[in-house]
Amino acid sequence: MATTHPTPFRPHRLLACAALLVATAAGAQSPHVVKPGETLWGISGQQLDTPLRWPEVQQRNQVGEPRLLQPGTVLYFADGRLVPEGAAVVTAVEGRASRKRAGVPEQVLTPGLPIQAGDTLITGTDAFVTLGVAGGSRVVLPSRSALEVLAIDANTVRLRLIEGRVESQVHKQQPNQQFEIRARSMGLGVRGTHFRVRDEDGVLTGEVISGEVVVQRTAQSEPPLVLREGRGAVLLESGPSQAQGLLPAPQLVPETTARNDRTFRFTPVAGAQTYRLQLARDERFLLPVYEQRGPGPSFTVPAELPSGLYQLRLTAFDAARLEGLPGDGTVYLPTVEGGAGGQSTSTALPDGRVEVRWPGIAGQRYTFELARSPDFAVLLVNEPAVYATGMTVGPFALGGRYHWRARQSPPTGLRPQRPVSAEASTFRRAEAGPRACASSSNAC
């Protein structure tokens, strides 16, 4: 089960270490995510063919103290031509996303693509887009969302959320500058903050992680609603909207840091109805790669996501469907054995238990059975609702051979399918402790 990186899981903190400048489409380079032990000197030599250009890298990315370069920081490079003042550019794309522009065929988004007023950005399922604007502000458009660029110049950034959600990290604005996101009849203006706007399932919400947002109905003169750090509101098109505190961030359970799988367990938050998990390649979540929403208190990341270090973020939703404060941490996704198309495995654990895994898809429902005989006439374990691709069983009072099988649970009214795994469906255990148990959450 998944082993996390030693970096402790911590409450969200907005990093102020990178106001990122990006290249034009003609000279765009892939961003570089800082690894432990790397220096600007070495990165400059790798990316720009000479270490002597490290001050240029420092300046373009506003790195304050080179000796305190933090792992996970995203550095951007250019060929000497920065994005023109007032322009916008796609800085990162994950999955399939596109740009619609009047009179022009729909175009697939790629890093470095310039964006202008009148463009609409659309993300598909499991797709993410990061938009950079002059001054270092960033806008992240997650899956199944659409965003129209209403205005973009030296002093004004005005965007319209058509559907889905958008998360903005806005650098401090000058008195003559304006950064605004519109949604339905609302306009949300900021001076420098980190906030979300969501139009999902018929509910429009605004949530402020840090800073301050002013919400004003665009066609009415009533007093604006001020949302400060840690507060949000369901934004009503008629009647007053009320600000309220956001739920705290869920915390990973300590056991998660000692496992070697892709299942992340967390302590439920009082008042939470559902939860969201997100993974990104950087600490500012400007390079998101995966997300999942569900009832908790755990999430399992699918085998299709490559192994390696990721930034993990957990949030909780309250009864009003406001999304709470994020909790971030660094985690490691191990290589999956027995993933889809792989083989079944049985792994003896130091405490006498056995971890079994089978080919399948995390999040799918499986029935797991354990018996002493191959005909499964007498079941020691019968778990009809396992939403992972593995179980931990034992320790066992009796030694010898044990037989297990897992099969995908069919929809109601359909006949059961054949077992998902027919290989490596047995294991041997020596005599051990006085109890036996089984768990898909490793709680034994």
Side-chain angles (χ1 to χ4, degrees), residues 67 91 100 119 165 226-227 241 247 379 410 421:
R67 292 172 296 181
T91 63
K100 287 186 176 181
D119 288 350
R165 71 185 198 274
V226 178
L227 296 178
S241 300
L247 289 179
L379 296 178
S421 172

Side-chain angles (χ1 to χ4, degrees), residues 5-87:
H5 189 271
T7 300
F9 194 79
R10 58 191 180 279
H12 173 82
R13 58 186 179 93
L14 178 62
L15 300 179
C17 62
L20 306 177
L21 298 175
V22 296
T24 60
Q29 293 176 263
S30 299
H32 179 85
V33 180
V34 177
K35 303 177 182 64
E38 285 192 311
T39 64
L40 288 182
W41 175 274
I43 294 171
S44 175
Q46 175 187 345
Q47 297 287 335
L48 303 177
D49 297 324
T50 172
L52 299 179
R53 294 180 65 182
W54 72 263
E56 182 180 337
V57 179
Q58 178 190 22
Q59 181 179 14
R60 284 175 174 162
N61 293 276
Q62 294 190 5
V63 176
E65 171 52 70
R67 292 172 296 181
L68 299 179
L69 188 61
Q70 295 295 316
T73 300
V74 181
L75 302 176
Y76 286 84
F77 307 89
D79 62 351
R81 295 171 294 169
L82 302 181
V83 178
E85 190 70 25

Side-chain angles (χ1 to χ4, degrees), residues 226-267:
V226 178
L227 296 178
R228 294 183 172 85
E229 183 171 323
R231 299 182 69 80
V234 176
L235 304 178
L236 306 175
E237 296 189 82
S238 61
S241 300
Q242 299 293 328
Q244 64 182 70
L246 301 178
L247 289 179
Q251 299 296 309
L252 287 175
V253 298
E255 183 191 35
T256 299
T257 63
R259 306 306 304 171
N260 186 32
D261 70 355
R262 293 180 168 225
T263 298
F264 298 99
R265 302 167 186 84
F266 53 89
T267 304

Side-chain angles (χ1 to χ4, degrees), residues 91-139:
T91 63
V93 181
E94 183 76 24
R96 183 172 178 82
S98 61
R99 178 188 69 183
K100 287 186 176 181
R101 177 182 291 178
V104 178
E106 187 170 340
Q107 183 176 1
V108 174
L109 293 180
T110 56
L113 187 71
I115 301 299
Q116 66 185 41
D119 288 350
T120 297
L121 310 182
I122 303 170
T123 57
T125 303
D126 298 325
F128 305 86
V129 169
T130 302
L131 184 67
V133 298
S137 297
R138 293 294 179 266
V139 175

